[in-house]
Amino acid sequence: MKLPRISLEQWAAFKAVVDEGSFANAAEALNKSQSSISYAIARLNELLPTPVLELSGRKAVLTHEGTVMYRRATQLLAQAEAAEQTAHLLARGIESEVVIAVDGLLEPGQLIPVLDRFSLMYPMTRLRLLETQLSGTTEALLEKKADIVLGSQVPVGHLGTPLKSIRMVAVAHPDHPLCQTGTDAGINDWELRTWRQVVLRDSGTRREQDAGWLGSEQRWTVSHFSTTLKVLRAGLGFAFVPYDWVAQDILQGSLKIVPLSFGAERQLPIYMLMATSDSCGPATSALATLLTEHFAGQTD
């Protein structure tokens, strides 16, 4: 590996001269002598193919190349500072990364305010979000692929914190025959069976899991609710989907709730589960607290 010839101290001196407007002010800002700043800039100009600063009277002026290198120097110094901050966080036991698995039942846009607050509290901690379906969500917990899991099932031996309830509704395009019934009795099971149903594929790798009503003879299987919505908007079938995923479509009239007999629909709880609740780090604990606060009162 070839080591850089220019030190961080020289880049810092260069940036300080530009930011502070003079060698004297830069020396004061960095708590160094003016002669050391002058020497650092002189060496910088020697080591680079073209000078980055030129003297105009008593003032140091950026060259064209210096303007470009100033941006690079700023990024380099910021990365060096970030590396030091990360080292300090790790020394204090703060995780470098938190992984959260979110079942597809939960519309991910609802998490944005939580993730925004978390990023302000722990800006140096990376966040990785796994989008899972059915047994894939449980698998992420049991195999410790995630630190926090948001799902509808609590496996044996684990505790779950209720966050909210998901309303599952049957939905189709307004022009679909299922939405054209003129009776007050609603659509029953036998009528549903004759129409194409769009269902969600299990993302688990250990065992496939079925959930919900799967009575249609003709089924299309997709991997994500976003694909389900595209099929439904094209009028190619019906599906049972979380209301949060289709609320805007229903409001705009691009999709319609299928009138099932007796107003039938399902309610599914969403729980927060911790992979290691007794030994999780401060960033993971903070994110769990933010999630609990954000969804407080949404379980009814």
Side-chain angles (χ1 to χ4, degrees):
M1 182 181 70
K2 184 179 180 181
L3 294 176
R5 295 188 300 165
I6 301 172
S7 67
L8 286 176
E9 187 174 359
Q10 290 167 332
W11 285 121
F14 167 55
K15 183 177 184 301
V17 170
V18 176
D19 292 343
E20 302 299 329
S22 70
F23 283 70
N25 291 340
E28 185 177 350
L30 296 178
N31 195 27
K32 292 183 176 296
S33 66
Q34 186 171 338
S35 60
S36 66
I37 297 297
S38 298
Y39 177 75
I41 298 302
R43 284 292 296 155
L44 189 66
N45 281 336
E46 288 176 10
L47 293 170
L48 290 172
T50 55
V52 290
L53 283 172
E54 292 178 343
L55 287 177
S56 177
R58 294 186 176 181
K59 187 175 181 181
V61 179
L62 275 172
T63 63
H64 172 72
E65 293 79 4
T67 302
V68 176
M69 296 310 299
Y70 173 78
R71 293 195 295 267
R72 292 296 183 92
T74 300
Q75 294 170 0
L76 178 63
L77 292 167
Q79 290 170 357
E81 183 179 1
E84 288 187 9
Q85 289 178 357
T86 300
H88 286 300
L89 292 177
L90 292 173
R92 289 162 51 195
I94 296 176
E95 309 90 304
S96 60
E97 179 181 74
V98 174
V99 182
I100 176 171
V102 182
D103 193 282
L105 291 169
L106 187 64
E107 196 280 311
Q110 299 175 65
L111 297 177
I112 298 301
V114 176
L115 303 184
D116 182 36
R117 290 180 61 191
F118 176 78
S119 68
L120 295 175
M121 294 172 63
Y122 293 92
M124 304 309 299
T125 298
R126 298 191 306 273
L127 189 66
R128 186 153 53 95
L129 192 148
L130 307 178
E131 296 180 89
T132 56
Q133 319 289 346
L134 299 171
S135 73
T137 305
T138 305
E139 191 175 286
L141 176 71
L142 298 179
E143 298 187 6
K144 291 183 170 51
K145 297 178 181 178
D147 304 297
I148 298 175
V149 173
L150 306 184
S152 61
Q153 297 183 9
V154 181
V156 175
H158 288 77
L159 297 175
T161 302
L163 293 185
K164 68 172 293 175
S165 292
I166 299 292
R167 178 189 174 196
M168 299 292 291
V169 293
V171 175
H173 190 277
D175 294 334
H176 192 283
L178 285 172
C179 296
Q180 299 298 311
T181 176
T183 65
D184 295 330
I187 303 295
N188 59 38
D189 280 9
W190 290 103
E191 291 173 288
L192 276 182
R193 292 176 191 273
T194 61
W195 297 101
R196 180 186 298 121
Q197 181 183 5
V198 185
V199 299
L200 206 60
R201 183 184 68 84
D202 191 341
S203 68
T205 59
R206 302 298 180 187
R207 62 183 181 88
E208 290 193 2
Q209 175 184 319
D210 292 332
W213 190 89
L214 298 170
S216 291
E217 295 296 328
Q218 185 181 174
R219 292 203 297 267
W220 285 3
T221 302
V222 301
S223 299
H224 201 275
F225 277 125
S226 60
T227 307
T228 301
L229 297 186
K230 293 177 182 178
V231 176
L232 296 179
R233 290 167 187 152
L236 300 178
F238 79 94
F240 286 89
V241 297
Y243 182 80
D244 292 335
W245 276 96
V246 294
Q248 197 64 29
D249 284 277
I250 292 172
L251 183 65
Q252 295 172 351
S254 55
L255 292 177
K256 186 177 180 181
I257 295 178
V258 176
L260 300 181
S261 55
F262 303 106
E265 60 182 43
R266 299 168 64 211
Q267 294 279 343
L268 296 175
I270 291 293
Y271 299 97
M272 179 181 68
L273 304 104
M274 310 293 290
T276 52
S277 58
D278 57 342
S279 60
C280 62
T284 302
S285 296
L287 180 56
T289 300
L290 291 173
L291 286 165
T292 304
E293 293 174 349
H294 178 70
F295 287 106
Q298 296 190 36
T299 56
D300 298 328

